[in-house]
Amino acid sequence: MSKISRKAVITGSSKGIGKAIAERFAQENIDIYLLASNEKNLQKTTSELKSKFKVNIYYHSSDLKTKSGCESAIKAIENEFTDFDTLIFSAGATKSGDFLEQPIEDFEDGFALKFYSAVRLSKAFWPTLSKNKGWIVSINGAMSHSPDPFFMVGGAVNAAFLNFSKALSKKGLSDGVNVNSINPGMTSTDRLITIIQSNANREGISFAEAEKKALNNIGLDRFGTPKEVAELTYFLCDPKIRHLTGTEINLDGGKKTTI
C-alpha cells in the first residue's frame, strides 16, 4: 500500500513557534501551508524551508484578526491546498500590562486573533479534517491556568481557547478528528523578549535583570524553546497514536500553577 501524502495548515507560522512547527513537519515530508499577517516574513520562511526540504510550501498573508482576513485565508486554502489533514493554531500575541491602564481594545484584539480565528477556521475546515481523519493542535499557553494581574488579556484568551479546544475534541470523537492542546510556558521567542522588556520598563530595571527575575519566578534555569513545542506538536499528530485526543499538555518545565 502506498503511503498517503500528508498536508498541514499552520497559522502564525512565519516566525517563532509556528515556524519551528512548519520546519518539523517538513522534515517528515509533509506539505505545508503557512498563514500569517506579514507577507515579507512569510516569503522569507517559505524560501528557507524550500532550501532545506523537498516538500510543497504554500503561503497566504492575511489578518486573521478580522472576519475578512479569515475568509481570505479559507478561500486561498480551498483553492490551493485541498484535502489536507492537519490544522495547527499557533497565531496569537496578546498584550501585557496593568489591568486598570489597559484599553478594552487589548482584550478585543487578543480574542480576535487567537480565539475567533481558530473558531472560524475550525468551522470552515472541519468537514475536510473529518473526511481525512485528521488532527487539530492548539498552541495555547500556560497562562490559561496562571492568573496574573499584568497578563489578564492572555490569561482570559488562553482559558477560553482551552475550553473551546476541549469541547471540539469531544465533537472529534464522533467525527474522527483528534484535537489536542499544548500550553507552552515561557518560550524563547520574539514575543517573550517583548514581555520581558515590558516588565523591565514597568519595574525600572534592566532587561538582563528582568530576564533573571522571570527565570527565578518560575524556578527554572532556562526558558523553553520553539523546537520543543514543535516536537510535541508533531508527536500529537503521529498516526501511530490515534488514541491520544482531548489532551492538554503543559510544556512549561513542570511549573504549572492551577487556579
Side-chain angles (χ1 to χ4, degrees):
M1 183 181 295
S2 62
K3 186 177 180 180
I4 298 174
S5 177
R6 292 191 58 188
K7 299 180 179 180
V9 174
I10 308 168
T11 73
S13 46
S14 65
K15 61 181 182 178
I17 290 174
K19 179 180 178 181
I21 293 171
E23 182 162 351
R24 181 65 185 87
F25 276 66
Q27 288 175 12
E28 301 297 329
N29 296 316
I30 297 173
D31 291 344
I32 304 296
Y33 202 108
L34 308 172
L35 289 176
S37 60
N38 189 307
E39 185 162 6
K40 184 177 180 180
N41 287 342
L42 280 169
Q43 291 174 341
K44 180 180 178 182
T45 296
T46 299
S47 178
E48 290 176 1
L49 292 176
K50 285 185 174 180
S51 69
K52 294 180 180 179
F53 308 105
K54 295 184 181 299
V55 297
N56 296 310
I57 309 289
Y58 303 80
Y59 74 86
H60 181 75
S61 172
S62 67
D63 186 0
L64 297 180
K65 294 178 185 177
T66 66
K67 179 182 178 181
S68 61
C70 287
E71 290 174 343
S72 173
I74 291 166
K75 183 177 180 180
I77 291 169
E78 288 176 343
N79 289 337
E80 301 172 338
F81 205 66
T82 58
D83 223 28
F84 63 93
D85 57 41
T86 305
L87 178 58
I88 310 297
F89 293 121
S90 187
T94 53
K95 298 176 182 178
S96 60
D98 188 300
F99 171 63
L100 296 180
E101 297 178 0
Q102 273 191 289
I104 192 67
E105 287 78 12
D106 283 2
F107 284 83
E108 294 170 346
D109 181 82
F111 273 94
L113 178 56
K114 192 164 190 175
F115 184 82
Y116 284 114
S117 68
V119 173
R120 288 184 172 117
L121 268 59
S122 293
K123 287 175 70 69
F125 296 137
W126 191 262
T128 296
L129 293 170
S130 179
K131 177 175 69 74
N132 292 323
K133 305 303 178 187
W135 297 264
I136 290 178
V137 177
S138 301
I139 309 302
N140 198 3
M143 283 296 175
S144 57
H145 294 287
S146 306
D148 186 322
F150 293 100
F151 204 74
M152 292 179 75
V153 177
V157 174
N158 289 356
F161 193 25
L162 184 62
N163 188 287
F164 170 76
S165 297
K166 183 64 176 181
L168 196 63
S169 75
K170 293 182 180 295
K171 179 170 178 55
L173 291 177
S174 60
D175 292 353
V177 182
N178 279 34
V179 183
N180 293 289
S181 297
I182 299 174
N183 291 330
M186 300 184 80
T187 305
S188 296
T189 62
D190 291 344
R191 173 61 182 153
L192 179 61
I193 293 174
T194 300
I195 292 174
I196 292 176
Q197 187 61 61
S198 176
N199 292 341
N201 295 341
R202 185 178 64 250
E203 298 179 26
I205 59 179
S206 69
F207 180 89
E209 290 172 319
E211 184 178 41
K212 182 178 179 180
K213 185 175 181 180
L215 283 170
N216 288 338
N217 286 342
I218 59 177
L220 299 175
D221 59 2
R222 70 169 178 87
F223 299 122
T225 68
K227 286 186 176 181
E228 288 174 309
V229 182
E231 195 66 43
L232 179 55
T233 302
Y234 178 73
F235 173 78
L236 291 173
C237 299
D238 191 330
K240 296 190 291 291
I241 50 170
R242 286 293 299 186
H243 213 56
L244 180 58
T245 189
T247 298
E248 169 201 355
I249 300 179
N250 298 295
L251 189 61
D252 59 359
K255 291 298 179 180
K256 186 189 103 172
T257 301
T258 56
I259 296 174

